[in-house]
């Protein structure tokens, strides 16, 4: 197994929520000399500058300015998303039933709900506090098992074998937090903030939160030969890790193009938000970079766009050996056999012949053979940030990703041998190879 696979596992375990994923990416970027530039600042940029901007905690743009103005060198952009389907706490999360304290939760995204049963779940996210006259937002990760959604014993559900499992998300997927006399959520949050020395607060100072459940089991490299990565949130933290790793790997040598990574929140729920791909985060950032480079240039963004490319990196569906008929013949990616180019003529993916050819050429230069995925004609196709980014920016885009199984499960499966090749190809993309 590669060091890259081990590093991915560490990245995922440090990133139980989109906010933690951005914080972990920022930690790695800062260690390599990237400095924050706030959206409220006037940006001035010189060749080689390494900067990043965070929006609303869950989205990030990181970039290294090229040796030439983007007007002449263009942009090389890799996009991914930080969010994953999960169970998120409702504002009034405390709920009591039949002698138990439960949590009121809401499914986020296209969750495989049954996979959250009988898991040891923890809680993480961000909390808004009142400290004196000021408001502050802090990250919190309990980091230990706290809750569980117990399944119903088959003795009380005799129809399960014939009818299968059907869960009502409103009434049958509520986690147990304790017995009904156990502390309410805000008390737990305040106590944990004090225990971790994040903030010295009492429950009344906890004003609001974006908290979510996650599988507390650590990510693992498994299989008789270490071929697999079993982990939560592989979709799409694996692509976030690959894009940031590639940017850092390419940063030692300055290229003509300005390199950028954009990590979006809210992809799993349609991307239509201030920090989603449907918002103005990327376009506005690119426009500001163009304008900030030595005073900018006339019609700069349009000219830069014409010299730019985007790689939309999101995980791909590997063929399932128990359900091989769900795949289009001739388009059956396998774990461990390299990156996947994703295509859909109805524009669920942004790939076309030009961008697919360019990505395949990069792969060939590195001795990597890409795989291909397209959906069956009778099977609806999922989508990515690719078509949204292409439409918002006008930049030619290719949709790619490493193959995986159990997508949108509480715990997913990918190939450990696929991690390093994707990073290498994205690094070559940044380098302009």
């Amino acid at each position: 197994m590669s060091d890259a696979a081990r590093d991915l596992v560490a990245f995922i375990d440090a990133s139980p929520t989109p906010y933690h994923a951005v914080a972990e990416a920022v930690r790695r970027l800062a260690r390599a000399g990237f400095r924050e530039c706030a959206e409220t600042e006037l940006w001035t940029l010189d060749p080689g500058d390494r900067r990043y901007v965070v929006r609303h905690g869950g989205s990030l743009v990181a970039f290294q300015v090229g040796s030439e103005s983007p007007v002449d060198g263009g942009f090389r952009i890799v996009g991914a998303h930080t969010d994953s389907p999960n169970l998120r706490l409702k504002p009034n999360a405390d709920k009591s039933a039949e002698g138990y304290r439960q949590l009121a939760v809401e499914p986020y995204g296209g969750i495989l709900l049954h996979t959250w049963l009988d898991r040891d779940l923890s809680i993480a996210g961000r909390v808004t506090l009142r400290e004196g006259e000021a408001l502050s937002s802090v990250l919190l990760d309990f980091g230990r098992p706290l809750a569980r959604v117990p399944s119903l014993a088959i003795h009380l559900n005799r129809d399960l074998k014939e009818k299968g499992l059907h869960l009502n998300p409103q009434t049958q997927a509520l986690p147990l937090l304790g017995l009904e006399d156990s502390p309410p959520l805000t008390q737990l949050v305040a106590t944990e903030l004090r225990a971790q020395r994040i903030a010295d607060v009492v429950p009344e100072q906890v004003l609001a939160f974006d908290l979510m459940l996650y599988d507390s089991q650590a990510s693992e490299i498994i299989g008789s030969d270490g071929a697999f990565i079993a982990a939560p949130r592989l979709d799409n933290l694996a692509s976030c890790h690959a894009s940031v790793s590639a940017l850092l790997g390419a940063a030692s040598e300055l290229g003509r193009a300005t390199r950028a990574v954009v990590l979006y929140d809210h992809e799993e729920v349609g991307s239509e938000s201030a920090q989603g791909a449907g918002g103005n985060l990327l376009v506005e950032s690119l426009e500001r970079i163009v304008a900030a480079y030595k005073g900018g240039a006339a019609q700069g963004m349009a000219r830069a766009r014409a010299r730019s490319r985007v790689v939309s990196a999101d995980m791909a569906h590997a063929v399932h050996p128990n359900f091989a008929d769900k795949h289009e013949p001739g388009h059956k990616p396998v774990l461990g056999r390299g990156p996947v180019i994703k295509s859909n003529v109805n524009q669920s993916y942004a790939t076309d012949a030009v961008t697919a050819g360019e990505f395949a050429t990069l792969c060939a230069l590195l001795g990597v053979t890409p795989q291909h995925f397209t959906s069956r004609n009778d099977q609806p196709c999922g989508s990515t940030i690719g078509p949204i980014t292409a439409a918002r920016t006008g930049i030619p885009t290719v949709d790619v990703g490493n193959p995986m199984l159990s997508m949108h499960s509480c715990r997913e499966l990918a190939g450990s041998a696929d991690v390093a090749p994707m990073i290498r190809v994205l690094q070559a993309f940044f380098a302009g190879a």
Side-chain angles (χ1 to χ4, degrees), residues 25 72 114 198 225 269 274 332 350 402-403:
D72 300 311
H114 68 278
I198 297 172
D225 52 358
V269 291
K332 297 180 176 181
N402 277 337

Side-chain angles (χ1 to χ4, degrees), residues 105-411:
V105 296
E106 183 174 0
Y108 175 89
I111 186 173
L112 279 178
L113 192 56
H114 68 278
T115 66
W116 288 76
L117 297 177
D118 302 324
R119 299 274 185 177
D120 296 338
L121 304 173
S122 190
I123 300 172
R126 63 180 177 181
V127 182
T128 299
L129 306 172
R130 184 184 68 249
E131 298 182 88
E133 298 299 318
L135 299 183
S136 62
S137 181
V138 297
L139 294 186
L140 176 63
D141 178 10
F142 281 85
R144 64 183 187 276
L146 284 175
R148 190 177 178 94
V149 185
S151 56
L152 181 63
I154 195 168
H155 313 79
L156 304 177
N157 188 15
R158 296 290 185 179
D159 294 335
L160 182 65
K161 290 183 178 179
E162 290 74 30
K163 296 183 179 180
L165 180 63
H166 301 279
L167 294 173
N168 183 313
Q170 175 66 24
T171 62
Q172 297 174 334
L174 303 181
L176 297 182
L177 187 61
L179 298 176
E180 63 181 350
D181 58 353
S182 61
L185 180 66
T186 54
Q187 184 175 331
L188 277 177
V189 168
T191 300
E192 191 67 21
L193 288 171
R194 293 196 302 271
Q196 296 189 25
R197 298 183 179 180
I198 297 172
D200 186 12
V201 294
V202 296
E204 291 73 23
Q205 292 175 269
V206 177
L207 301 182
F209 49 76
D210 293 311
L211 292 173
M212 53 203 78
L213 296 168
Y214 72 92
D215 183 4
S216 64
Q217 183 180 356
S219 304
E220 298 285 355
I221 296 177
I222 68 168
S224 60
D225 52 358
F228 307 127
I229 298 173
R233 304 179 298 281
L234 282 164
D235 175 26
N236 190 33
L237 290 185
S239 300
C240 294
H241 171 265
S243 59
V244 171
S245 298
L247 180 63
L248 295 176
S252 61
E253 295 185 10
L254 193 61
R256 294 179 59 246
T258 293
R259 305 155 179 162
V261 164
V262 56
L263 307 181
Y264 292 112
D265 200 356
H266 296 159
E267 189 274 346
E268 296 291 358
V269 291
S271 295
E272 292 297 320
S273 70
Q275 59 266 47
N280 66 353
L281 173 61
L282 179 60
V283 171
E284 189 176 81
S285 296
L286 299 181
E287 289 173 344
R288 295 181 72 171
I289 293 169
V290 169
Y293 188 99
K294 296 181 179 179
Q299 301 177 19
M301 183 58 199
R303 294 162 64 190
R305 174 197 58 76
R307 291 184 169 92
S308 300
R309 288 291 186 270
V310 172
V311 174
S312 166
D314 203 345
M315 300 296 276
H317 295 290
V319 62
H320 195 305
N322 298 337
F323 301 92
D325 60 332
K326 294 294 185 179
H327 269 66
E328 169 69 19
H331 301 80
K332 297 180 176 181
V334 177
L335 302 186
R337 296 188 185 174
V340 180
I341 299 173
K342 304 190 290 185
S343 303
N344 178 261
V345 296
N346 293 302
Q347 298 304 300
S348 288
Y349 303 131
T351 306
D352 61 20
V354 173
T355 58
E358 291 172 346
F359 190 83
T361 299
L362 279 177
C363 290
L365 289 172
L366 298 172
V368 174
T369 302
Q371 304 184 82
H372 291 269
F373 174 82
T374 188
S375 293
R376 288 173 56 100
N377 296 339
D378 54 3
Q379 185 77 31
C381 181
S383 192
T384 68
I385 64 164
I388 300 171
T389 302
R392 293 281 291 132
T393 64
I395 298 174
T397 301
V398 62
D399 266 292
V400 304
N402 277 337
M404 66 175 294
L405 294 167
S406 304
M407 189 179 288
H408 288 196
S409 172
C410 186
R411 194 166 178 85

